[in-house]
Amino acid sequence: MAIRNPMRDKSCIVGVGHSGCFRDAGVPGGTLVARACLQAINDAGLEPSDVDGIITSPMPGIMGYDTINCNYLVEMLGLPGVRWWIDHHVGGVPGLGSVCMAALAVSSGLCDVALACRLNWRPKDKGYGHVMSNRAQGVDAFLNPYGYGVFPQKFSSWYMRYVHEFGVKREQLGTYVVQSRKNALLNDKPIVAPRQAITMDDYLNARMISDPMNLLDCDFPCDGAAAVIVTTPERAKSLKQKPVYISAVATGQGPHPDFVFWDDYTVMAAHWAAKDIWERAGIARKDINFQQIYDGFAPFIFYWMEALGFAKRGEAPEFVGSGALKPDGILPTNLNGGQLNEGRLHALGHTVEATLQLQGRAGARQLKKADAAVVTGGGLSVAAIMVLHR
Amino acid sequence: MADYKKAIPVPNDLTKDYWEGAKQHRLVLKRCADCGRYSHPPLPTCPRCQSEKMVATPVSGKGTLYSYSVMRNAGNPGFESEIPYAVAIVELTEQKALFTVSNLRDCPLDQIKIGMPLEVVFEDVTPEVTLPQFRPARKG
Ligand SMILES: [Zn+2]
């Protein structure tokens, strides 16, 4: 079947906003969202009244405090012109999923100026990362009674299998983790990681969370919000920033809803999402200058490199260990430090950085050559990809 | 048993055969009567042929270790005093990628090896609940 992509280059990112990421922001989550959204609207040279589409991804919680939905955004930001909106849980973790759907809405004419935003909120009680109920229902009934109810634990078994099949040296992943901190030191927004370089020894000696993943392999939960404005290339002509064109978006799911019960722990939903992404984008893999790859856990980098075809199956550790992902390597990666350092914004922080780089606005982090990039979200049981160019 | 602090499985119509089987010290999975495919955790229809004839079927309780992790962090109520403990992803012999999850019994952490043969054992953790667990397979 021929590849179809009528969306290609029919929408573009023209503004970004970012509240910064904090362990404890000291203000309600809604405040962070408002700051990020108004910054993005202003960055584009637009007014709130210009926004006619909105998309975000509510979580169970208290509106305006630890989560947000479209209806709340309309009132809080004063958006009288909204005619398209979605509260969604699109795969690829919500941040990038929102941008993918905003591109769809703009390119199909449902709206002209779409605001996509994401709030992450770190619960301040000790419940975070803990199983809260001792009555385990559904699939959890087969996991939690064995002390297997926490996300990093479940992914650790995945990575254990990957290490077993392909033989990973810890220094290979360490090369990426150490570099990502170095990248983060040039990030001019508030980040959650300490502003202090780490060494390979630091990495190798970091406390194990669940073998074979250590503390430095895990991203930082945080309080933070980010937003982007997506519009048409025609509208972009009269706006403040250079447009960043969206060539292709893709989302993917694996064969099962729960990734513990899966077919193959070396193949993620990322592989489904990436299947024909380069053909759809009309951009060759070799023409990608840099990438913002989802790093909720550091080993995701290996899986994504193989899914996107930058490394052959089982060869990502060698590729990453060679230093290919450093800013002066062949495929600069996560120039803002990624979620391992900046904080968990579910790939929307990744999108903001890709946009700034492609617009030549990344300050001390700016790459010399930034014409085309790939951004990914999630990867495990749901995944999303976006190919961007200037 | 009021002092049992770990999570307890709550059976439903889909899973009650599994937990009833465990109480009788049998590992009982759902199997499609039309095409023979096992599904675990139980599904209402067969994911291969979409048949609704999903029949509770005892299995051998033999498998191999597909993967595992050693838990060194808190997060699961009742497990605080057991850290570090292993969780096994067991591939049952009946079907490729037919996985079940358990802890590893009778196996020191430094002797865990992916691919090792395992067998089921049953632990009555409360008067109502029995958990299948796995340990290294014994000869014979
Ligand atoms: Zn069947």
Side-chain angles (χ1 to χ4, degrees), chain A residues 62 68 81 107 146 177 217 283 298 315 344 371:
Chain A
I62 303 162
I68 204 85
S107 61
Y146 302 100
V177 174
D217 287 326
I283 292 176
E315 294 180 5
R344 181 184 303 155
D371 298 330

Side-chain angles (χ1 to χ4, degrees), chain B residues 32-37 45-51 53-54:
Chain B
C32 174
D34 285 325
C35 79
R37 190 186 193 280
T45 60
C46 172
R48 184 158 68 197
C49 75
Q50 284 67 52
S51 167
K53 290 182 216 142
M54 302 298 283

Side-chain angles (χ1 to χ4, degrees), chain A residues 130-131 134 136 141-142 145-149 153 156-157 160-161 164 207-211 260-262 264-265, chain B residues 7-8 10 18-19 40-41 66-73 75-77 79 85 87 89 99 101 103 114 132-133:
Chain A
H130 285 244
V131 173
N134 62 359
F142 298 97
Y146 302 100
Y148 200 51
Q153 299 179 335
S156 291
S157 307
M160 184 70 87
R161 181 72 195 189
H164 170 78
R207 180 166 67 84
M208 277 292 167
I209 297 291
S210 40
D211 301 4
V260 173
F261 301 97
W262 200 261
D264 180 347
Y265 277 20
Chain B
I8 293 277
V10 180
Y18 180 91
W19 296 112
H40 186 71
Y66 177 78
S67 195
Y68 71 99
S69 178
V70 177
M71 311 306 165
R72 301 185 187 273
N73 224 33
N76 294 276
F79 281 85
Y85 62 93
V87 169
I89 312 299
F99 292 153
V101 169
N103 301 118
I114 286 181
Q133 295 281 15

Side-chain angles (χ1 to χ4, degrees), chain A residues 130-148:
Chain A
H130 285 244
V131 173
M132 295 305 283
S133 169
N134 62 359
R135 288 172 54 81
Q137 315 239 23
V139 169
D140 287 346
F142 298 97
L143 306 175
N144 296 7
Y146 302 100
Y148 200 51

Side-chain angles (χ1 to χ4, degrees), chain A residues 324-368:
Chain A
L325 307 192
K326 295 183 178 187
D328 59 355
I330 57 170
L331 194 56
T333 300
N334 293 353
L335 295 150
N336 59 338
Q339 289 186 188
L340 288 191
N341 299 286
E342 187 180 82
R344 181 184 303 155
L345 286 179
H346 291 123
L348 208 50
H350 290 65
T351 311
V352 168
E353 178 68 11
T355 303
L356 292 173
Q357 289 282 348
L358 291 164
Q359 291 172 328
R361 297 198 290 155
R365 307 181 307 281
Q366 183 62 48
L367 293 170
K368 284 201 192 74

